Amino acid sequence: MEEVEEQVILRVPSEMAERLRAMIRDNEFKQLEITPTTSNDLRHFKFKLDKVSHDASLVELPCIIESQKTLDKKTFFKVADISQMLVVHGPDGSLPKKQLGPNYEWKSGITPGTKYIRRRRFRKRGIWPAADIRAVETDILRVMQGGAASNIEEELVEEEAEDSASSANDGSKKDKKKKRREKREKKKERRKKKGEQDTSQQDETNSMAASVKDEEEDQDAAGNGDDEEEEEMDVNMLRAKMQTIQDDIDGLEEMITNKQEMLQESNNPVLQERFSQQIENLMQEKAEKEQELREVQNQLVNR
């Protein structure tokens, strides 16, 4: 069995990169030499390229990188785990202070997503109180055993929405009744002013007739208004019911399509029979929904 290779990543300044790529393409490394400064120091090296010497440092990467090889660009074999990088110093002879941490720890990975990952991933976490940790562990154990967690807060959002909608409808009805009452009072005032211009006898006669007429109009207006409101509410309910039924039909059609695709892709006779039975049940349910939709439409047309 072959041993895993030992590899490092070599990072050089941009002005050396093109020359180094050309050497790799030509497979000529006579002008390249990497040697440690001393036998006991494995952090500092001399990087010599084209007989020009540069300082280099061996740093620790924050993430382990898996190295692979391939011969046909289809099958890949793992050959090494890379955790170090040899960084050649820049023209000023120093490493970037923002990237170099204590103990030669490099703060960023080699990809944009791992920039300053040591500061983000390995940051100090907050210390939680021991009592809170025990309470959470107790709740988890209780839930795993089929119980319920403690300190549960429930909120019925749908009921509140329905209550607010009903209160809004009640408020709109009261507003309509108030407006009709104000209109009747204005009509009475106009008729009263007109009657003062006539004689007293005509005023009395007109006022009596007006009062009787107002009472009749009030009764008719109240009856007609209530009937219109009830009819409008019934129509809205029917339309909402139609929309709900139509949504159910659309959902059933989508389920039928999915089951038909699964039936075509399956080669198992047992699964095929099961899918066929499910499709038949869904088709029957869809037919019932369509019949119900036609009945509601007929009710809406007869209104």
Side-chain angles (χ1 to χ4, degrees):
M1 180 178 178
E2 297 182 1
E3 296 182 358
V4 178
E5 298 179 5
E6 294 183 0
Q7 299 179 356
V8 296
I9 294 177
L10 177 62
R11 174 171 287 185
V12 298
S14 57
E15 55 268 16
M16 303 181 192
E18 189 60 34
R19 170 59 178 154
L20 193 59
R21 292 193 187 98
M23 294 174 63
I24 294 173
R25 286 196 301 267
D26 299 337
N27 198 18
E28 295 181 358
F29 300 99
K30 295 179 179 180
Q31 302 296 327
L32 177 64
E33 184 179 351
I34 302 174
T35 56
T37 55
T38 61
S39 60
N40 297 328
D41 188 3
L42 298 179
R43 288 293 181 185
H44 300 89
F45 291 79
K46 287 294 182 179
F47 178 82
K48 188 179 292 187
L49 180 63
D50 293 333
K51 299 181 180 181
V52 179
S53 181
H54 305 273
D55 293 331
S57 299
L58 187 67
V59 298
E60 302 292 329
L61 290 171
C63 307
I64 295 176
I65 302 170
E66 184 177 292
S67 176
Q68 298 179 345
K69 285 185 178 180
T70 180
L71 298 175
D72 54 3
K73 296 184 180 182
K74 294 181 180 180
T75 305
F76 294 82
F77 301 93
K78 176 181 176 180
V79 293
D81 285 326
I82 304 174
S83 61
Q84 294 178 322
M85 180 170 61
L86 185 63
V87 183
V88 179
H89 295 194
D92 56 352
S94 62
L95 292 175
K97 295 181 179 180
K98 292 183 179 181
Q99 293 290 350
L100 187 62
N103 299 323
Y104 290 90
E105 292 180 350
W106 204 251
K107 296 181 180 180
S108 299
I110 63 172
T111 60
T114 56
K115 186 176 182 180
Y116 296 113
I117 193 172
R118 285 191 187 273
R119 184 175 61 190
R120 296 185 289 106
R121 175 65 178 85
F122 305 107
R123 64 183 183 274
K124 293 182 179 179
R125 304 286 180 174
I127 300 176
W128 296 92
D132 294 346
I133 296 175
R134 285 195 297 270
V136 173
E137 290 177 348
T138 304
D139 285 344
I140 292 174
L141 292 174
R142 188 182 296 112
V143 172
M144 291 175 64
Q145 293 174 359
S150 59
N151 300 327
I152 297 177
E153 295 181 2
E154 296 182 358
E155 183 179 359
L156 300 177
V157 180
E158 295 182 358
E159 292 187 0
E160 290 183 359
E162 292 176 358
D163 294 340
S164 61
S166 61
S167 61
N169 293 333
D170 294 340
S172 61
K173 291 181 181 178
K174 292 179 180 179
D175 292 339
K176 290 180 181 179
K177 291 181 179 179
K178 185 177 180 181
K179 289 180 180 180
R180 287 199 299 268
R181 193 180 302 111
E182 290 176 355
K183 287 182 180 180
R184 290 196 297 269
E185 291 177 355
K186 288 180 181 180
K187 287 182 180 180
K188 288 181 182 180
E189 291 178 0
R190 288 197 298 269
R191 288 168 182 162
K192 186 176 181 181
K193 290 180 180 180
K194 184 177 180 180
E196 289 177 354
Q197 298 175 359
D198 300 334
T199 60
S200 59
Q201 184 177 2
Q202 290 177 349
D203 190 10
E204 293 177 359
T205 305
N206 292 336
S207 62
M208 292 175 62
S211 61
V212 173
K213 188 175 182 180
D214 288 339
E215 292 179 357
E216 294 177 353
E217 289 180 354
D218 292 343
Q219 294 177 358
D220 295 339
N224 294 332
D226 294 339
D227 294 339
E228 291 177 358
E229 290 179 3
E230 292 179 357
E231 185 176 355
E232 185 177 358
M233 290 178 62
D234 294 340
V235 171
N236 291 335
M237 289 177 63
L238 290 174
R239 289 176 179 172
K241 188 175 182 180
M242 286 176 56
Q243 185 62 38
T244 302
I245 297 172
Q246 186 61 48
D247 293 341
D248 294 342
I249 293 174
D250 295 339
L252 290 171
E253 290 178 349
E254 185 176 356
M255 292 174 64
I256 292 171
T257 303
N258 294 335
K259 293 295 182 182
Q260 289 175 347
E261 292 177 356
M262 295 170 66
L263 177 62
Q264 293 176 358
E265 295 174 357
S266 177
N267 296 324
N268 191 332
V270 178
L271 292 178
Q272 290 178 351
E273 184 179 357
R274 185 182 301 173
F275 291 148
S276 300
Q277 184 64 33
Q278 292 176 353
I279 292 171
E280 185 178 352
N281 295 336
L282 291 173
M283 293 290 288
Q284 184 177 358
E285 187 176 355
K286 178 187 173 184
E288 294 176 357
K289 289 290 184 180
E290 290 175 347
Q291 179 62 27
E292 185 178 357
L293 179 62
R294 285 192 291 270
E295 293 177 357
V296 176
Q297 289 175 346
N298 293 333
Q299 293 178 8
L300 187 61
V301 171
N302 295 331
R303 285 274 171 189

